[in-house]
Amino acid sequence: MSIKKQAIRKFQDRSAVIGIIGLGYVGLPLALRYAEAGYTVLGFDVDPVKPEKIAAGLTYFQHIPDERVSEAVEAGFSATTDFSRTNEADALIICVPTPLKEHREPDISFVTDTMDTLTPYLRPGQVVSLESTTYPGTTEEELRPRMEQAGFTIGEDAFLVYSPEREDPGNSRFTTRTIPKVVSGSTPACLAVGTALYSGVIDQVVPVTSTQAAEMTKLLENIHRAVNIGLVNEMKVVADRMDIDIYEVIDAAATKPFGFVPYYPGPGLGGHCIPIDPFYLTWKAREYGVNTRFIELAGEVNSSMPRWVVGKITDALNSASKSVNGSRVLMLGIAYKKNIDDVRESPSVEIMQQLRQRGARVEYCDPYFPQFPPMRSYNFDLESRVLTAAMLRDYDCVVIGVDHDCFDYELILKEARLLVDTRGRVKEKHAHVFRA
Ligand SMILES: NC(=O)c1ccc[n+]([C@@H]2O[C@H](COP(=O)([O-])OP(=O)(O)OC[C@H]3O[C@@H](n4cnc5c(N)ncnc54)[C@H](O)[C@@H]3O)[C@@H](O)[C@H]2O)c1
């Protein structure tokens, strides 16, 4: 039997060992899904805390319960920092970060470092699948040559796949299994092996003809969101000037049964994907002499939102004859979106920073973060305040940065002296509430 057929058979009969490299927001749920579907799963991470937690059957994400981890461990999931054990796995699925460098250029060093770590242990029959979001060409230009230099013929004795992740942490409507998965291969044989790899755990696998097409698919999905959020943020500013309720407008437009998709405004983009991924394409497009003006314009609008919100906080304080300088401001929610414990690129934190630079005394309340987490560009030595009537009255201004479901909005509305709402949570007009 050919190496390709052997690989496919192992994924189909679930005798394959699945290696997941990077056990973060993407890698952990994927590992749990493979374990749940009956595969033996071996996780790898450079952070030793993750394998320790997994061995103890404990989660490290609020949206994933301990039981899911302990059940997966019972079903054959283990994790390690020992990368020499990657040769035990039939598939090596890479889920490591792809952030931006200081000057907003792609930083794919986590991906290339991972591949450099894996190559000494690669053996015939293995499939390497990259899931990290990246610019078109990464798989062919960065991963393929590294595997070839290690002595493999791609599509014959080793297989290379790109399959973008579509994880949406905290979204209970979809699971890893029910979110269709785009899969591509470096060669037709790679695509066949990749399709077998994912068909055992995902209901619908969507094959595309090249790794570049799959890489661009993921970028299109996220840029589509970034651009539409940029549009609606611009509409929000216009509506605000005209004293029109933008949420009423969006909800009315959304009754159109075709040709309209509702997007909602906010204090700016957050998370690991939407604020970052567009830059991966704009950077690569420059290599081809193409300017992505539309995408960059959306980026400009979205990144101006924290400043706009600070302007609204200033207006709110002004209405009470107060200045930002010296005022006490409480930020409700520092996560980048509701009901999750992820603070990456959070606009709430940028707003806190801008307020602090203007002399405000800023604190926060977010039950998902009892301590203010360490961040690359910000340094707040704070603990989350407990939400009470007396505590709310303590502040000159309270800001809804993220509308977590766990907040008591009736209490907030009643007790806050001034309330700035960046999420459209307060529907009716009140003299002390400012939409932002
Ligand atoms: N978070 C999401 O919702 C989401 C959704 C779709 C796609 N993505 C993409 O998936 C990729 C991973 O994102 P994430 O949110 O899971 O990141 P994350 O930071 O939560 O997890 C990455 C993990 O990789 C580990 N790691 C870093 N370098 C490593 C290395 N050299 N070897 C092994 N492990 C290493 C880290 O310790 C961490 O546990 C990114 O490209 C991201 O853009 C993320």
Side-chain angles (χ1 to χ4, degrees):
M1 202 192 299
S2 72
I3 295 180
K4 175 184 120 182
K5 280 200 175 136
Q6 280 176 36
I8 291 175
R9 177 170 293 184
K10 275 187 164 183
F11 294 125
Q12 286 173 340
D13 68 17
R14 292 167 198 235
S15 62
V17 175
I18 308 295
I20 310 271
I21 325 292
L23 297 167
Y25 284 91
V26 165
L28 182 64
L30 191 64
L32 299 179
R33 174 65 197 131
Y34 271 104
E36 174 191 274
Y39 293 87
T40 301
V41 181
L42 195 45
F44 298 88
D45 206 294
V46 288
D47 171 8
V49 174
K50 291 183 174 119
E52 278 166 23
K53 286 251 185 183
I54 289 164
L58 298 174
T59 187
Y60 37 88
F61 293 125
Q62 297 238 7
H63 65 285
I64 296 177
D66 286 333
E67 301 80 67
R68 280 200 66 202
V69 178
S70 57
E71 279 164 23
V73 169
E74 268 171 42
F77 173 34
S78 60
T80 177
T81 54
D82 176 3
F83 283 72
S84 69
R85 292 189 59 199
T86 52
N87 68 357
E88 293 173 29
D90 298 290
L92 295 165
I93 303 181
I94 302 174
C95 310
V96 296
T98 43
L100 293 172
K101 294 183 195 161
E102 204 187 332
H103 298 293
R104 306 231 145 233
E105 286 160 1
D107 177 2
I108 60 157
S109 62
F110 293 89
V111 173
T112 50
D113 288 354
T114 297
M115 200 63 221
D116 290 335
T117 308
L118 297 181
T119 42
Y121 310 111
L122 282 182
R123 59 166 172 77
Q126 282 182 314
V127 49
V128 172
S129 176
L130 178 62
E131 295 218 1
S132 305
T133 306
T134 187
Y135 57 79
T138 308
T139 307
E140 295 307 309
E141 293 161 17
E142 298 292 341
L143 300 193
R144 187 174 180 143
R146 284 176 164 79
M147 288 175 74
E148 286 173 342
Q149 273 156 25
F152 293 92
T153 307
I154 305 303
E156 285 183 21
D157 55 2
F159 307 93
L160 181 57
V161 166
Y162 180 78
S163 178
E165 182 51 54
R166 283 172 165 164
E167 177 70 16
D168 187 13
N171 185 336
S172 54
R173 284 199 300 140
F174 302 100
T175 63
T176 307
R177 177 176 70 79
T178 60
I179 301 172
K181 196 148 177 44
V182 171
V183 176
S184 65
S186 259
T187 68
C190 295
L191 178 57
V193 173
T195 303
L197 165 63
Y198 289 108
S199 294
V201 290
I202 309 281
D203 288 349
Q204 191 192 348
V205 169
V206 182
V208 296
T209 57
S210 69
T211 54
Q212 291 91 336
E215 288 159 340
M216 199 171 196
T217 301
K218 174 70 188 178
L219 292 182
L220 172 62
E221 289 168 13
N222 284 353
I223 290 168
H224 168 260
R225 270 188 76 69
V227 165
N228 280 286
I229 292 170
L231 173 68
V232 84
N233 274 332
E234 189 168 88
M235 294 288 285
K236 168 182 81 171
V237 174
V238 177
D240 178 72
R241 254 331 139 74
M242 297 179 172
D243 200 22
I244 296 170
D245 180 345
I246 187 67
Y247 294 93
E248 184 184 6
V249 172
I250 296 168
D251 291 344
T255 59
K256 185 180 174 188
F258 46 85
F260 182 82
V261 178
Y263 285 86
Y264 293 92
L269 295 181
H272 188 289
C273 298
I274 312 296
I276 289 172
D277 300 350
F279 291 101
Y280 269 70
L281 189 68
T282 51
W283 176 83
K284 191 66 177 176
R286 277 202 291 277
E287 187 183 310
Y288 291 80
V290 182
N291 287 328
T292 51
R293 283 159 42 216
F294 209 73
I295 299 170
E296 276 166 68
L297 183 60
E300 248 175 64
V301 174
N302 288 326
S303 56
S304 71
M305 280 302 119
R307 189 170 290 269
W308 193 77
V309 172
V310 169
K312 286 285 171 188
I313 296 167
T314 310
D315 293 348
L317 287 166
N318 256 338
S319 74
S321 306
K322 287 181 178 157
S323 62
V324 173
N325 195 348
S327 284
R328 293 192 68 196
V329 181
L330 178 75
M331 177 60 74
L332 290 173
I334 58 165
Y336 80 82
K337 67 173 182 177
K338 67 193 284 183
N339 305 338
I340 63 160
D341 58 348
D342 190 347
V343 75
R344 289 177 292 181
E345 308 289 324
S346 167
S348 293
V349 180
E350 174 58 27
I351 293 165
M352 287 175 69
Q353 172 94 330
Q354 291 190 18
L355 289 170
R356 190 169 62 176
Q357 282 163 351
R358 287 162 176 74
R361 290 181 291 151
V362 190
E363 290 180 283
Y364 81 102
C365 166
D366 191 326
Y368 288 90
F369 301 95
Q371 289 276 338
F372 202 98
M375 294 179 78
R376 258 203 302 190
S377 320
Y378 304 96
N379 183 17
F380 286 94
D381 185 14
L382 294 173
E383 280 176 17
S384 175
R385 299 285 325 264
V386 177
L387 201 69
T388 64
M391 171 276 226
L392 285 162
R393 285 196 296 266
D394 249 7
Y395 291 91
D396 298 301
C397 182
V398 175
V399 183
I400 300 176
V402 178
D403 54 340
H404 289 316
D405 289 337
C406 58
F407 288 139
D408 181 343
Y409 291 97
E410 245 173 69
L411 183 78
I412 294 164
L413 184 61
K414 184 159 167 263
E415 301 298 343
R417 288 195 250 164
L418 291 169
L419 183 60
V420 174
D421 178 10
T422 72
R423 300 283 178 174
R425 187 82 200 194
V426 183
K427 300 283 174 230
E428 324 76 41
K429 284 195 171 181
H430 299 267
H432 72 302
V433 178
F434 291 72
R435 279 264 174 90

